[in-house]
Amino acid sequence: MKEFSRWIIGDDKKDLDRKNMLWNMAGSFIYAFASMVLSIAVIQIVGEQEGGIFTFAFSTFGQHMFMVAYFGIRPFQITDMSRKYSFGEYLSLRLFTCAIALVFGMFYVGIHDYTSQKAWTVFLMVCYKVVDALADTYEAEFQRSGRLYLTGKSNTFRTLLSVFSFLGVLTMTKDLVTACAVAVAAQVLGILLFDVCIIRELPNIDWKKAKGASWNLLRDNTLLFFSVVLDFYIFSAAKYAIEDIMLDKDLAVYGAIFMPTSVINLVAGFVIRPFLTKMSIAWEDRDFSGFSRLILQLAAVIAGLTVLAVGGAWILGIPVLGLLYSNIRYALESCRPALVLIILGGAWNAFMTLFYYTLIIMKKQQCIFGTYGVVAVLAVLISPVCVRMGGIFGGAVSYMVLMMALMLGFGGNAAYFFFREKKGNGK
């Protein structure tokens, strides 16, 4: 295993910047692409009813439990350049949050009147996502140590292992529950091979756990935790409303037209993630011109991609989705306006992510939580109403409005604190 780990690590002093960029792109692309492929494949292999169940289990509730286990801590960890907390302390906290997510997942399934198949599918996808969140702790440490390429390799190889295992079993058995169980087992194997074994071969990884440090870390990130949980509720409010009000097959249709937003989020990850360390250093050094230049460059790239995405969605979106989701092509033909609104909402979400990380670097967690709180209340009020009045189109309207509200809230706060800090430093 040591030889295998050293082969994966390679020479971390040669072409490091290039390797970081390329493997981050590869890992982000495969991770996002796999999510799209899974939703399409399940609908095509076992039909729209089970496809809708899987869409909810994998990309809605399962992902929500990922956020609980994730605890919002990655941005804090990768920007903790002063090493206030050790890797051992981050890992200890993440193990605790993963356990909480599993318990809540069991509770959620237990209180809902699901069929046995739906209950097991939802819970197994919770397990899958919780393991993914645990792997994220290792991958964040890879990035903090300047080895983002190892994060990309882990994402790439773990995802391929679990996805091919899932699809192979589903194709052979047509049994969704069995395929989900195999995917969880493959995910566990992946974290052992590409995270746990790898990090033990790296130098300067601090495993110590000072007394009370994990609880201090919990306290420092509590607002971020509630923020990411609220964030994903806002992001998924329309899906929850459709799952509650409409049928599982309607979830499959909404999931299909929602799928292209993964491309925008994927590209946002490509663009933003490699610059976070540079942004953190610029802010700590009070290099305000360099900090603002980085943000404006990233915003310009996202804006350009938004124009392309909206135009492409209107012209090619439904025909392409109809080819991918041939089983539900009949239901997609009337969804072009909803698709464009969802793509636009995905663009607002990409801008929001940029401003979110900006506020994290500025250590303004209270503003993040406050903005999420206000928009979460708005989500509770408008999402069920929009879905009842407009069905899938209503869900698209609510998603677009909520993403715009978050973007404006985060962007306004980031601009305020930037100019206040710049003025206070006389630069």
Side-chain angles (χ1 to χ4, degrees):
M1 290 308 300
K2 288 193 175 196
E3 291 302 318
F4 172 79
S5 298
R6 288 170 185 164
W7 177 71
I8 293 291
I9 294 168
D11 185 355
D12 63 359
K13 295 180 181 178
K14 184 179 179 182
D15 295 328
L16 185 58
D17 287 341
R18 180 172 173 271
K19 285 198 301 185
N20 282 341
M21 181 184 70
L22 292 177
W23 275 108
N24 174 63
M25 290 177 64
S28 299
F29 174 80
I30 289 173
Y31 188 86
F33 184 71
S35 298
M36 293 185 283
V37 166
L38 285 176
S39 297
I40 296 169
V42 173
I43 292 173
Q44 295 299 101
I45 294 171
V46 293
E48 61 192 83
Q49 185 73 17
E50 291 184 55
I53 291 171
F54 180 79
T55 297
F56 177 74
F58 181 77
S59 63
T60 305
F61 185 70
Q63 188 66 18
H64 213 160
M65 291 304 97
F66 170 87
M67 292 300 177
V68 172
Y70 174 76
F71 205 71
I73 205 170
R74 180 176 185 140
F76 190 93
Q77 183 177 354
I78 63 177
T79 58
D80 180 15
M81 306 308 292
S82 64
R83 309 282 168 168
K84 181 179 179 181
Y85 296 103
S86 70
F87 171 67
E89 289 156 355
Y90 283 109
L91 181 59
S92 179
L93 177 60
R94 193 71 73 96
L95 287 168
F96 173 73
T97 59
C98 286
I100 294 296
L102 285 174
V103 170
F104 190 83
M106 286 189 288
F107 174 76
Y108 181 89
V109 170
I111 64 173
H112 282 79
D113 187 23
Y114 289 156
T115 64
S116 175
Q117 182 199 42
K118 186 170 183 177
W120 275 110
T121 300
V122 171
F123 179 68
L124 286 169
M125 285 299 97
V126 169
C127 295
Y128 182 94
K129 292 291 188 175
V130 166
V131 176
D132 201 19
L134 182 59
D136 179 78
T137 314
Y138 294 87
E139 292 162 9
E141 193 65 16
F142 295 154
Q143 183 172 358
R144 186 167 68 148
S145 67
R147 298 177 178 89
L148 183 60
Y149 75 97
L150 290 178
T151 300
K153 286 186 175 183
S154 174
N155 260 331
T156 298
F157 300 138
R158 282 191 307 106
T159 302
L160 291 175
L161 178 62
S162 60
V163 167
F164 279 118
S165 299
F166 173 84
L167 292 179
V169 172
L170 186 65
T171 301
M172 288 187 295
T173 67
K174 303 295 189 295
D175 188 324
L176 183 58
V177 173
T178 301
C180 288
V182 169
V184 173
Q187 184 81 301
V188 172
L189 178 61
I191 189 177
L192 292 174
L193 289 175
F194 304 113
D195 293 301
V196 176
C197 290
I198 300 299
I199 205 166
R200 293 189 178 277
E201 297 302 317
L202 297 180
N204 305 319
I205 301 297
D206 188 356
W207 292 85
K208 76 174 190 303
K209 291 184 283 187
K211 185 178 180 180
S214 294
W215 290 108
N216 290 336
L217 183 58
L218 176 71
R219 181 197 61 208
D220 286 348
N221 286 274
T222 297
L223 286 180
L224 278 179
F225 163 67
F226 286 112
S227 295
V228 296
V229 171
L230 289 175
D231 168 47
F232 196 74
Y233 169 71
I234 295 164
F235 182 81
S236 303
K239 293 181 181 178
Y240 278 113
I242 290 170
E243 198 263 347
D244 183 52
I245 296 168
M246 302 176 75
L247 302 175
D248 285 333
K249 65 180 183 180
D250 296 311
L251 265 176
V253 175
Y254 187 82
I257 63 171
F258 199 85
M259 181 267 287
T261 60
S262 299
V263 177
I264 296 175
N265 292 330
L266 166 67
V267 174
F270 286 168
V271 173
I272 297 170
R273 190 178 296 174
F275 289 89
L276 291 179
T277 302
K278 292 180 181 179
M279 289 171 63
S280 299
I281 293 171
W283 185 254
E284 289 184 5
D285 292 344
R286 292 301 182 258
D287 178 11
F288 295 105
S289 61
F291 185 76
S292 61
R293 185 167 57 251
L294 286 169
I295 293 174
L296 290 173
Q297 289 172 350
L298 294 172
V301 173
I302 295 171
L305 291 170
T306 298
V307 174
L308 293 175
V310 171
W314 181 259
I315 299 169
L316 299 173
I318 295 302
V320 171
L321 289 176
L323 291 174
L324 295 174
Y325 294 91
S326 59
N327 282 6
I328 55 173
R329 183 184 297 138
Y330 70 94
L332 293 172
E333 293 175 356
S334 61
C335 291
R336 180 176 278 108
L339 173 64
V340 171
L341 288 180
I342 287 174
I343 293 293
L344 195 56
W348 302 153
N349 184 46
F351 280 109
M352 180 273 290
T353 301
L354 172 61
F355 300 141
Y356 170 87
Y357 280 120
T358 302
L359 289 170
I360 291 291
I361 291 168
M362 293 175 172
K363 302 295 188 286
K364 300 300 179 184
Q365 289 93 326
Q366 296 90 340
C367 291
I368 293 173
F369 177 70
T371 303
Y372 276 133
V374 171
V375 180
V377 172
L378 180 63
V380 172
L381 294 175
I382 72 168
S383 294
V385 174
C386 287
V387 170
R388 284 194 179 94
M389 292 179 63
I392 289 173
F393 179 78
V397 170
S398 70
Y399 172 73
M400 190 271 292
V401 169
L402 294 172
M403 292 303 102
M404 181 185 291
L406 284 178
M407 177 192 69
L408 294 175
F410 287 161
N413 276 307
Y416 169 77
F417 288 113
F418 173 81
F419 287 112
R420 191 182 74 171
E421 193 74 17
K422 184 178 180 182
K423 183 179 178 180
N425 280 264
K427 296 182 182 180

